[in-house]
Amino acid sequence: MKINSPPKILFLSTFPPTQCGIATYTQDIISAITDVFGENLACEICDISDNIDVNHNVHFTINPTLKSDYTKIGREINGDNTIKLVHIQHEFGLFGGTYGNYLLGFLDVLKKPVTFTFHSVIPTPDKKLMAFVKLLISYSNSVIVMTKKSKKILVDDYDINENSIACIPHGTHNVNYENTQNAKCKFNLENRTVLSTFGLLSSGKSIETALKALPEIINHTPNVLYLILGKTHPNTLVNNKDDYRDSLELLVKELKLKNHVSFINRYLEIDELLDYLKATDIYLFTSKDANQAVSGTFAYAMSCACPIVATAIPHTNEVLSINEGILVPIEDSEQMAKETIKILHNNTLRESMALSAFEKTRASSWNNVAIKQIDIYKKSIDESLKTTFNYPPIKLNHLKNMTTALGIIQFSKISEPDINSGYTLDDNARALITMCMHYNVFKKSSNLLFIDTYLSFIERCQTEYGTFINYVDEHNHTHIKNDYVNLEDSNARAIWALGTVVSLKEHLPKTFVTRAKLSLLRSIPWMSNILSPRAIGFVIKGLYLYNSADKDNNAVSIIKKLSKNLISNYDVNAIRSWNWFENYLTYANSVLPEAILYSYLVTGKDSYKRVAIESFDFLLSKMFINGHFKVISNQGWYKKDSIPSKFGEQPIDVSYTIQTLSLFYKTFEDPMYKTMMQTAFDWFLGKNHLNQIMYNPITGGCYDGLEKTNVNLNQGAESTICYLMGRIIMEQQKAVSSIKLFQQKKATMKASFRLSNK
């Protein structure tokens, strides 16, 4: 059987092992596209290199100095029907001929859609350069630049239609936020104040600007160490002589900086480089190229939470605000020293700059850049380019890092647990459910310790009356908030968690199941009296799971009573245009139709089935609009006969929606619910109004909220747990789909065998 190849994007670019910024850029964006879209979209390289033996992992190679290569390879690319678009990484020095005009031979014969990324945009061009750039762009369907300034130059100086230009920032690596002092430990630099600069060394870097600033900085901060990270740019070497580095080393000697400067003269792999940047107190950006449109080194430093003192080039002028660093004139060592000392003198300023730099660059993570570029490709390709997101690995790193011997901590500052926020029953109940789900799928014995921890926290919170407190401070003391906050919802979530444990009696250790059952049974007296609709929903959910494993007429009786209460709410509030239990939609809405469906599964009442479907259809109509998924905003609840707020979306509601869709799909096997599950989960993966991922690929943590213009990067317990719940459900769904596909194939083969024997 022939397997169809996925559609391909061909990148025309330099590529490693060639060592240059564009090669690294292309490698990073291809890796990101592969991470985000997996096997659904392939990337291929047409390497610009004069050594055809240098890279055996590419299908096409163009020798930039051979004019005939351009037309030859262009025709070869035309012959590959799987290539849907050619993305040219453009820099004038990459291609042969005047202004690199050999590239025109390639474009003349190519019959594929073309997208350009312009890494340099030269302002105030002469007539020849302007005409050449306009000619290049005439071959393309779209143009990508990395700064607003570059876009403005193309529009104003080259008369390019601004609608054809997309501004997508230079990508940055996903970095787990880390305290600078902790990061220094990896390099034994705990007692040094670290300044750094990195990149392939060349005279354009103007490292001497920073070296000349050092004596004054050292007078203020005697323990300063300046790290010059990276090897020399290959194009700078002449007859294997490294004149520029030699000149820098001589300057270090002249200025008596030997104990304050360290050259790391080698190519650094990305993980080591990022570790050095995380250990940096201030990053010194020293470029002297006034027309440098973009700098990857500058972007990477910001992404690692480095406060920055930078020379003013277009990229730094546009991106660096006073919140993240300070701009200085090109080659002005005196001003660089002054501003560096200013930041070193103020720890509060330095820490706020670090955090602001980190937050600003999350939107430009390589994953987010990949999502934006794929959207550009889709607009450029005539036929519909179907792409689906690749599900990231399930990582429990952040969840475990948030957990102490007592339980899971409530909040985090970025990814660092905030022990001062204490603990809640809510979070530990959800964490218990999540860890049980993970154990049920993967059977990892290491999960049992965490299941025990979260279950113990629930037991610790239970009172002599069978109810629960919700808030516990960092010292394991009952918090005063428990005295004046309505705890019905948190109590109900504890029942959901305890029911989950009991429902897995065939898989979990018997002691866990017994403890959970005893705790749940102690809660029976108060369950029938709860009033909050969502609390009713969570209790019904927990009792259904409990009853599925241990048949209990008392549990069924409570489910029936609570269901009547929900149905009464529905009868009072539902009208033709508002099929709902209340006059507004708030949080955790989907648990209400989910609870009614559970009640139908227990009682068999068709009226419950009708209300479950009607109410859920109504809710879905408010969240799935024109194929796009939108969470009910927490900026102001959605009231009947009002216009809903658009922003303020939280992971908890995405997760609850996925859970309810999963139950409806299992119950009714309507493929619409399965499709909606995938669409809702894609919200985490970047299918949202900002086109940004909502999870941390490094740790598996999840960001706290999607706002109008930014993502809340704090990764609290609630958000992380809810993301993991959704991710595990999608993993279960994938496994079920694989089994069904196998069964269908097996049945087809058997039928074919019987027919052939006839």
Side-chain angles (χ1 to χ4, degrees):
M1 183 176 67
K2 184 177 179 180
I3 300 175
N4 293 328
S5 298
K8 295 176 186 173
I9 304 299
L10 181 77
F11 285 80
L12 180 63
S13 174
T14 53
F15 201 71
T18 298
Q19 293 177 356
C20 73
I22 291 179
T24 303
Y25 177 94
T26 303
Q27 182 182 48
D28 286 335
I29 187 60
I30 287 176
S31 294
I33 290 173
T34 303
D35 285 344
V36 174
F37 297 100
E39 299 176 356
N40 306 294
L41 184 67
C43 295
E44 207 163 276
I45 289 292
C46 179
D47 193 14
I48 304 168
S49 174
D50 58 5
N51 185 352
I52 61 172
D53 297 322
V54 75
N55 196 337
H56 299 288
N57 296 317
V58 301
H59 289 77
F60 305 100
T61 301
I62 290 178
N63 184 330
T65 63
L66 292 180
K67 193 173 183 179
S68 59
D69 256 18
Y70 291 85
T71 54
K72 174 190 171 189
I73 299 302
R75 291 191 177 101
E76 288 182 12
I77 291 169
N78 288 337
D80 189 337
N81 293 327
T82 63
I83 295 174
K84 302 303 180 184
L85 179 140
V86 176
H87 190 163
I88 300 174
Q89 305 300 310
H90 186 271
E91 183 67 79
F92 290 100
L94 289 185
F95 307 101
T98 305
Y99 296 133
N101 67 353
Y102 285 5
L103 182 59
L104 295 175
F106 176 83
L107 294 168
D108 279 335
V109 301
L110 191 67
K111 297 179 181 178
K112 307 282 185 181
V114 171
T115 291
F116 277 103
T117 289
F118 279 92
H119 289 259
S120 289
V121 179
I122 301 172
T124 59
D126 58 28
K127 289 183 179 179
K128 288 185 178 180
L129 178 58
M130 180 193 297
F132 177 69
V133 170
K134 293 184 72 170
L135 179 59
L136 279 182
I137 292 175
S138 71
Y139 287 93
S140 71
N141 301 72
S142 54
V143 173
I144 296 171
V145 292
M146 298 183 211
T147 63
K148 295 175 184 176
K149 177 67 173 178
S150 293
K151 181 174 181 176
K152 189 174 189 305
I153 292 171
L154 283 179
V155 173
D156 294 347
D157 295 3
Y158 292 85
D159 195 28
I160 304 299
N161 183 348
E162 66 176 328
N163 294 326
S164 67
I165 308 169
C167 185
I168 301 177
H170 192 291
T172 54
H173 290 278
N174 291 300
V175 176
N176 192 31
Y177 184 79
E178 187 174 4
N179 179 278
T180 303
Q181 202 59 30
N182 293 339
K184 288 178 182 179
C185 295
K186 299 172 186 175
F187 305 104
N188 297 317
L189 296 174
E190 299 96 316
N191 298 318
R192 303 301 295 265
T193 297
V194 178
L195 312 177
S196 73
T197 301
F198 92 92
L200 295 171
L201 255 62
S202 66
S203 59
K205 296 283 186 185
S206 193
I207 303 296
E208 59 270 20
T209 301
L211 292 176
K212 291 174 183 177
L214 271 187
E216 186 61 29
I217 296 171
I218 293 166
N219 285 338
H220 172 269
T221 309
N223 71 338
V224 157
L225 176 66
Y226 179 40
L227 301 176
I228 301 172
L229 306 165
K231 64 185 298 183
T232 303
H233 197 294
N235 294 344
T236 301
L237 300 174
V238 179
N239 297 323
N240 293 321
K241 289 187 65 177
D242 195 346
D243 290 340
Y244 182 61
R245 187 180 294 271
D246 291 344
S247 70
L248 295 178
E249 291 178 346
L250 180 61
L251 184 58
V252 168
K253 186 176 180 180
E254 290 174 354
L255 296 175
K256 299 180 181 179
L257 299 174
K258 181 180 179 182
N259 295 325
H260 298 276
V261 177
S262 179
F263 289 89
I264 313 297
N265 185 12
R266 55 189 172 85
Y267 180 81
L268 299 177
E269 295 297 334
I270 189 62
D271 288 341
E272 185 182 11
L273 170 61
L274 297 178
D275 282 341
Y276 269 116
L277 292 175
K278 286 193 283 186
T280 295
D281 291 291
I282 300 177
Y283 185 82
L284 304 181
F285 181 81
T286 55
S287 172
K288 64 180 181 181
D289 183 355
N291 291 322
Q292 185 176 353
V294 68
S295 168
T297 62
F298 166 70
Y300 284 10
M302 283 191 69
S303 75
C304 289
C306 294
I308 296 177
V309 176
T311 50
I313 66 167
H315 192 189
T316 59
N317 266 319
E318 182 171 313
V319 174
L320 195 68
S321 74
I322 57 173
N323 296 320
E324 300 90 36
I326 302 174
L327 292 171
V328 300
I330 287 173
E331 296 186 289
D332 192 333
S333 299
E334 184 178 337
Q335 193 66 19
M336 179 163 281
K338 178 182 176 182
E339 302 301 350
T340 302
I341 291 169
K342 176 182 176 181
I343 299 173
L344 289 176
H345 183 69
N346 189 332
N347 288 336
T348 301
L349 175 63
R350 188 166 74 251
E351 289 171 5
S352 68
M353 282 181 168
L355 190 59
S356 181
F358 182 84
E359 290 177 338
K360 178 175 277 191
T361 50
R362 291 312 91 197
S364 61
S365 74
W366 282 115
N367 300 64
N368 292 332
V369 169
I371 292 167
K372 290 178 173 64
Q373 287 202 175
I374 293 299
D375 284 345
I376 297 296
Y377 299 159
K378 287 181 177 180
K379 294 174 184 176
S380 299
I381 298 173
D382 291 335
E383 61 184 287
S384 177
L385 178 63
K386 294 182 179 179
T387 56
T388 55
F389 288 100
N390 188 39
Y391 291 162
I394 299 172
K395 293 184 178 181
L396 304 181
N397 307 45
H398 186 60
L399 181 71
K400 293 180 178 181
N401 190 43
M402 291 280 288
T403 303
T404 69
L406 178 59
I408 190 164
I409 298 168
Q410 185 176 189
F411 297 134
S412 74
K413 296 176 180 177
I414 307 297
S415 56
E416 293 187 345
D418 179 11
I419 188 62
N420 294 322
S421 67
Y423 306 80
T424 68
L425 175 68
D426 280 335
D427 292 331
N428 280 274
R430 284 186 288 252
L432 177 57
I433 295 164
T434 302
M435 199 58 76
C436 285
M437 292 170 64
H438 192 274
Y439 181 79
N440 191 39
V441 174
F442 298 103
K443 299 297 186 295
K444 290 192 174 183
S445 58
S446 58
N447 290 0
L448 297 176
L449 173 64
F450 292 89
I451 291 173
D452 182 41
T453 298
Y454 305 137
L455 179 57
S456 295
F457 187 89
I458 293 176
E459 292 171 321
R460 177 257 179 272
C461 290
Q462 193 162 30
T463 70
E464 60 183 305
Y465 307 107
T467 57
F468 301 87
I469 62 168
N470 189 42
Y471 301 99
V472 176
D473 71 16
E474 67 269 31
H475 304 298
N476 196 14
H477 298 149
T478 300
H479 199 285
I480 193 173
K481 286 173 69 176
N482 292 291
D483 296 334
Y484 56 83
V485 175
N486 188 328
L487 301 182
E488 273 198 348
D489 284 11
S490 56
N491 274 245
R493 272 188 278 269
I495 301 305
W496 172 24
L498 295 170
T500 299
V501 175
V502 177
S503 73
L504 297 175
K505 63 185 293 185
E506 301 300 326
H507 305 282
L508 290 172
K510 185 177 180 180
T511 54
F512 290 177
V513 177
T514 301
R515 288 163 56 194
K517 182 176 179 180
L518 288 173
S519 183
L520 188 148
L521 292 176
R522 281 197 292 270
S523 303
I524 290 291
W526 58 261
M527 288 186 199
S528 300
N529 301 318
I530 58 176
L531 299 174
S532 163
R534 279 151 194 80
I536 289 173
F538 289 122
V539 167
I540 289 175
K541 195 170 181 177
L543 288 179
Y544 175 87
L545 292 168
Y546 161 65
N547 187 66
S548 68
D550 271 15
K551 299 302 179 184
D552 187 324
N553 291 333
N554 200 14
V556 172
S557 177
I558 295 172
I559 289 174
K560 289 179 178 178
K561 180 180 179 182
L562 294 177
S563 301
K564 287 180 181 178
N565 292 343
L566 277 186
I567 292 295
S568 295
N569 279 17
Y570 187 80
D571 290 341
V572 168
N573 291 288
I575 58 175
R576 179 172 295 181
S577 61
W578 189 267
N579 294 320
W580 196 243
F581 305 86
E582 301 162 309
N583 286 324
Y584 44 78
L585 295 169
T586 59
Y587 75 100
N589 298 293
S590 65
V591 75
L592 303 183
E594 184 179 5
I596 294 298
L597 182 54
Y598 276 127
S599 301
Y600 161 71
L601 295 174
V602 170
T603 65
K605 285 190 175 183
D606 285 338
S607 60
Y608 286 4
K609 176 182 176 181
R610 175 184 60 80
V611 170
I613 294 174
E614 277 183 4
S615 60
F616 196 39
D617 283 351
F618 167 76
L619 177 62
L620 294 175
S621 73
K622 303 302 180 184
M623 300 179 80
F624 291 84
I625 301 171
N626 298 324
H628 296 282
F629 177 71
K630 291 283 289 183
V631 182
I632 302 299
S633 170
N634 68 351
Q635 300 298 319
W637 300 127
Y638 186 177
K639 296 180 180 179
K640 185 193 293 185
D641 300 324
S642 69
I643 298 174
S645 300
K646 291 184 179 181
F647 308 107
E649 303 178 37
Q650 294 186 307
I652 186 170
D653 274 307
V654 184
S655 180
Y656 283 154
T657 304
I658 292 169
Q659 292 169 46
T660 305
L661 284 165
S662 178
L663 176 65
F664 271 70
Y665 178 62
K666 289 175 184 175
T667 305
F668 302 116
E669 296 189 342
D670 186 336
M672 174 191 72
Y673 295 126
K674 181 180 177 181
T675 300
M676 285 182 163
M677 282 170 61
Q678 295 168 335
T679 302
F681 188 75
D682 284 351
W683 181 91
F684 289 111
L685 307 182
K687 197 67 174 178
N688 49 59
H689 76 267
L690 290 183
N691 287 333
Q692 292 185 32
I693 59 172
M694 288 298 298
Y695 67 98
N696 185 324
I698 306 298
T699 66
C702 181
Y703 304 130
D704 278 352
L706 181 72
E707 308 302 337
K708 182 177 181 180
T709 59
N710 68 287
V711 172
N712 181 341
L713 296 178
N714 293 326
Q715 296 155 52
E718 177 187 284
S719 302
T720 294
I721 292 164
C722 288
Y723 162 72
L724 289 170
M725 280 184 178
R727 178 65 186 88
I728 294 168
I729 288 172
M730 300 313 294
E731 190 72 13
Q732 291 171 320
Q733 182 59 49
K734 185 171 67 174
V736 170
S737 298
S738 297
I739 291 171
K740 286 184 177 180
L741 182 61
F742 174 76
Q743 290 172 339
Q744 290 170 357
K745 287 182 177 179
K746 190 174 180 181
T748 302
M749 290 175 66
K750 283 184 177 180
S752 299
F753 179 74
R754 285 196 296 269
L755 286 172
S756 63
N757 283 335
K758 286 182 180 181

